[in-house]
Amino acid sequence: KRPTMVITKALAMASFSSVLACAIAFRVTPSKLKVTAMQRREVLTNAAALSLLPQSVRANTATAALTAPRFSIAPRVTPLPPLGALSRFEDELVSPKGSRNPSIGVRFDFPSQWAPLDRMGGGITYVDSSTGLKAYVLRAPLPGTSLEATPKAWFGDVIFSPEGTIARSGTNIDEYKVSSSKLIAPADDGAAAARRRLLLKYTVITPANQRAVDRRALVDAYEVNGVAYMLMASATASKWEGGERSEKERCERVVDSFFIGSAG
C-alpha cells in the first residue's frame, strides 16, 4: 500500500508546488506570494514524495528539449557552390544510451550570414542577427512511444519547457501551439528511418519593452533509439509568408536539409 499512498500524497500536494513554480516562472515577488511555514514544509514533503515515484513517471514529468551535445571538438562548416550563399554544417552528436555506435552524424544547410551561438557550450544554435531567424538542434527522450505515435502537443511542451534550452537561453515564451504535423521521408540513405515535420506558432515577450512578438517555426524530428533529435528553424510571423523570399521558405530550406544518421 505504501507506493500507492506515496503517489496519492504526491499528486494531492502538487497544487501548491505548481503555484510556486508558476510564481517563479512569471517573476512574482515574495511580497505578492505569501508562503507560510506550513506551505514550505508541504513543498519539501511533496518533493520527497515525488522522489519515490517510479523513474519512468519522474522522467516524463521532467522531460525537456536540450541542446544535442556534440561528440566532436569542432564541426565542419563548408561553403556550398555556386556563390557560397549557403553553408553546410556537419558534425557528430552523442548517441543515445545503449546505441552500438558512440556517435551519430548530423548535417544541415543554412544561409552563410548566420552566426553560431553557444559554440563554447557544445551546442548547435545559429542566428541571423539582421532578421532574427534562428536554428536550434535539440534532443529529448520520447515519452515511451514511437516518433509516429507521439502526440504532436508533446513536441511543443518539450521544446518550450521552462527547463529546456530555448527557455534557459533567455527566450520568454508567452504561449505556443503545434498547429500541424506529418511524417516525411528521411533525407537520404543512412539517415534514421523515422522522420516527422511540425509547424509551431508561438509568442515571445521581448526583454527590452515587454512587447509580444508572434513567431513561427518548422521542426524536423528524427527518432534514434527512443530519442527525438530535432532541428527547429524559426522566424517572426510578420515575414513568414510571401513567396520564394519569405522567411517560411528560408526555414523550409534549412529543415529540408536536416540529416540524422542511424546509431545502429
Side-chain angles (χ1 to χ4, degrees):
K1 293 183 179 179
R2 189 172 183 274
T4 303
M5 292 175 63
V6 169
I7 293 173
T8 302
K9 187 174 184 179
L11 294 176
M13 302 179 78
S15 58
F16 178 73
S17 297
S18 300
V19 172
L20 184 60
C22 290
I24 294 171
F26 286 97
R27 297 177 176 85
V28 177
T29 61
S31 62
K32 294 182 181 180
L33 180 67
K34 297 179 185 279
V35 181
T36 68
M38 181 178 294
Q39 287 171 331
R40 291 191 191 98
R41 287 195 296 272
E42 287 178 359
V43 171
L44 294 174
T45 306
N46 184 35
L50 286 174
S51 69
L52 296 175
L53 292 177
Q55 184 177 4
S56 59
V57 175
R58 289 186 281 114
N60 287 342
T61 303
T63 296
L66 304 176
T67 186
R70 298 201 332 264
F71 185 79
S72 67
I73 297 176
R76 182 168 70 253
V77 178
T78 308
L80 297 178
L83 302 175
L86 294 176
S87 294
R88 175 160 294 172
F89 178 100
E90 295 176 281
D91 205 349
E92 295 288 319
L93 303 177
V94 176
S95 297
K97 291 183 179 180
S99 300
R100 184 174 60 190
N101 299 319
S103 66
I104 55 176
V106 59
R107 182 180 72 235
F108 62 91
D109 302 339
F110 64 96
S112 297
Q113 72 267 24
W114 289 15
L117 300 175
D118 193 30
R119 179 178 289 176
M120 296 301 295
I124 305 173
T125 304
Y126 277 82
V127 63
D128 185 337
S129 58
S130 63
T131 65
L133 271 75
K134 282 188 175 181
Y136 305 84
V137 177
L138 308 167
R139 62 174 270 179
L142 290 164
T145 56
S146 67
L147 186 74
E148 178 180 0
T150 300
K152 66 179 183 179
W154 176 87
F155 293 90
D157 292 341
V158 298
I159 289 172
F160 297 121
S161 166
E163 300 301 319
T165 289
I166 292 178
R168 286 186 170 185
S169 68
T171 303
N172 189 353
I173 306 297
D174 182 48
E175 59 182 2
Y176 60 87
K177 177 184 179 182
V178 182
S179 57
S180 67
S181 171
K182 62 181 180 180
L183 295 175
I184 60 175
D188 55 33
D189 292 340
R195 186 183 184 189
R196 189 169 173 180
R197 179 167 297 176
L198 306 103
L199 172 64
L200 279 60
K201 299 179 180 180
Y202 64 106
T203 303
V204 301
I205 304 300
T206 59
N209 54 16
Q210 297 297 296
R211 186 169 60 93
V213 177
D214 292 330
R215 293 183 68 87
R216 301 288 183 267
L218 290 171
V219 176
D220 255 34
Y222 284 90
E223 178 182 357
V224 180
N225 294 351
V227 174
Y229 285 82
M230 299 169 281
L231 186 150
M232 172 175 158
S234 71
T236 57
S238 60
K239 299 179 180 180
W240 187 250
E241 302 290 349
E244 293 184 358
R245 293 184 176 272
S246 68
E247 306 289 45
K248 179 182 179 181
E249 189 272 338
R250 297 177 72 190
C251 288
E252 281 181 337
R253 186 176 298 179
V254 174
V255 297
D256 280 345
S257 67
F258 185 44
F259 168 94
I260 289 289
S262 175

